[in-house]
Amino acid sequence: MRTIKLGTSTLEVPVLAVGCMRINALSKTEAERFVQTSLEAGANFFDHADIYGGGKCEEIFADAIHMNDEIRESIILQSKCGIRPGQFDFSKEHILESVDKILQRLRTDYLDILLLHRPDALVEPDEVAEAFDKLESSGKVRHFGVSNQNPLQIQLLKKSVKQPIVANQLQLSITNANMISNGVNVNMVNESAINRDGSILDFCRLNDITIQPWSPFQYGFFEGVFLDNDKFPELNKQINEIAAKYDVSNTTIAIAWLLRHPANMQPVTGTTNVDRLLDCIKASEIRLTREEWYSIYRAAGNILP
């Protein structure tokens, strides 16, 4: 699979991250097949979070991949922390405790990447910096990033944090593309021109922070998938026509649309269906034309001024 550099690091990663949020819905045999299929296809970057399945997803993954030292060196592990019941928590104590528990569940000594999951309104950047320094010096975490953060939140962290922020995981899909459309509709009096994220797309590009789109097939906030959905007839018609041209599935084209953007994004797949996962992976071999990209963009209802 094609690879990119993660942020400003020297870490070479596949252009797709395998999301493990739903792995707890699989049987032991299914989970083993899912993980093995990913590895055989070159998709060795696995995305986790301490809240997925209440921590069970990380345990199931470690069992499914038969974690040992040799296997660990052949994969890239990313996890997230900072969400607690009824609150978000970026305190030093919570970050350190969370990482220890993540490592225990994944049966490993280190994470390749740790992301702070959702912005904590009570964040103290100095505390985050102390936690990151301790995790880095102990070898428990090698790279750091964030999730769902805007430019000023990242800059606030960087006031104290010395480690590069290598990734920002953000919701982005063909139908949830405001971070793109507000840049297209600058100075226009329409809904698409509303800047809801502080120009995070341009900020990440300027600062070499890899955007990791999550829910690449979802519309709204987990309202459902747009593929083969009667609510999006024009979009599906356009995607299906382009899919037929390349002799691939509509799933492949939906991911290829994200990969075509020059920001060098790393979409996070959320499926546990092996066939659909392979369709996602095929997208790394396709580069949509400018005309194809814009035709899909417009068919989703995104406007050009």
Side-chain angles (χ1 to χ4, degrees):
M1 185 190 297
R2 184 162 57 87
T3 62
I4 57 173
K5 288 278 178 58
L6 190 69
T8 57
S9 76
T10 59
L11 186 61
E12 288 276 348
V13 300
V15 293
L16 289 176
V18 180
C20 296
M21 184 173 71
R22 298 180 178 89
I23 198 172
N24 60 327
L26 301 178
S27 67
K28 184 176 186 296
T29 301
E30 289 170 336
E32 289 176 342
R33 180 170 177 248
F34 173 74
V35 171
Q36 189 58 38
T37 300
S38 301
L39 294 175
E40 290 173 356
N44 69 335
F45 187 112
F46 297 95
D47 175 74
H48 295 270
D50 60 357
I51 64 165
Y52 294 166
K56 286 292 183 182
C57 290
E58 290 170 332
E59 294 178 353
I60 291 169
F61 173 84
D63 288 338
I65 204 168
H66 305 290
M67 187 69 78
N68 59 40
D69 291 344
E70 182 180 357
I71 290 172
R72 178 65 187 91
E73 292 306 307
S74 69
I75 62 176
I76 301 169
L77 288 179
Q78 172 175 280
S79 194
K80 300 178 283 292
C81 72
I83 297 180
R84 297 174 58 189
Q87 62 181 290
F88 301 144
D89 190 347
F90 287 177
S91 66
K92 175 183 176 181
E93 292 75 13
H94 182 70
I95 293 172
L96 295 177
E97 180 182 2
S98 297
V99 170
D100 283 342
K101 290 180 178 178
I102 289 169
L103 296 179
Q104 182 179 10
R105 289 191 294 266
L106 287 171
R107 303 210 303 267
T108 182
D109 295 328
Y110 70 96
L111 285 175
D112 293 284
I113 310 105
L114 173 70
L115 305 184
L116 298 179
H117 207 158
R118 282 208 173 262
D120 175 14
L122 303 181
V123 61
E124 296 281 0
D126 288 347
E127 282 198 41
V128 175
E130 290 176 13
F132 281 11
D133 285 346
K134 187 166 184 178
L135 291 170
E136 183 180 48
S137 64
S138 65
K140 292 180 180 180
V141 177
R142 297 183 175 180
H143 303 282
F144 299 85
V146 296
S147 181
N148 306 299
Q149 293 207 11
N150 67 34
L152 290 181
Q153 290 169 328
I154 294 173
Q155 288 181 322
L156 179 62
L157 280 179
K158 290 299 294 177
K159 179 182 177 183
S160 301
V161 171
K162 69 180 183 183
Q163 292 82 5
I165 300 299
V166 298
N168 189 7
Q169 201 166 113
L170 298 157
Q171 184 177 20
L172 177 63
S173 70
I174 297 168
T175 55
N176 288 44
N178 181 257
M179 72 171 68
I180 295 173
S181 60
N182 71 60
V184 173
N185 288 273
V186 170
N187 201 39
M188 303 305 295
V189 185
N190 59 46
E191 179 74 13
S192 297
I194 298 174
N195 188 340
R196 294 183 168 87
D197 51 40
S199 299
I200 189 61
L201 173 59
D202 294 329
F203 177 85
C204 287
R205 293 184 72 182
L206 283 167
N207 291 275
D208 295 318
I209 297 172
T210 298
I211 292 175
Q212 297 178 332
W214 56 266
S215 290
F217 306 108
Q218 291 277 336
Y219 68 93
F221 187 70
F222 291 109
E223 292 178 41
V225 298
F226 55 79
L227 293 176
D228 299 322
N229 189 323
D230 291 341
K231 291 183 178 180
F232 303 94
E234 291 184 23
L235 175 58
N236 279 287
K237 179 177 181 292
Q238 190 61 35
I239 289 177
N240 290 339
E241 287 178 1
I242 295 173
K245 172 187 171 182
Y246 287 96
D247 192 25
V248 295
S249 73
N250 55 1
T251 294
T252 301
I253 297 301
I255 294 294
W257 187 84
L258 292 169
L259 294 178
R260 175 61 177 84
H261 195 280
N264 285 324
M265 301 179 192
Q266 186 193 31
V268 181
T269 65
T271 184
T272 53
N273 180 293
V274 169
D275 292 334
R276 196 170 185 211
L277 175 64
L278 292 174
D279 283 343
C280 291
I281 291 169
K282 287 179 184 177
S284 68
E285 304 167 4
I286 293 175
R287 179 177 171 82
L288 298 179
T289 67
R290 178 181 293 269
E291 291 74 19
E292 289 165 344
W293 189 92
Y294 270 105
S295 71
I296 292 172
Y297 177 79
R298 296 195 313 273
N302 298 302
I303 63 174
L304 297 181

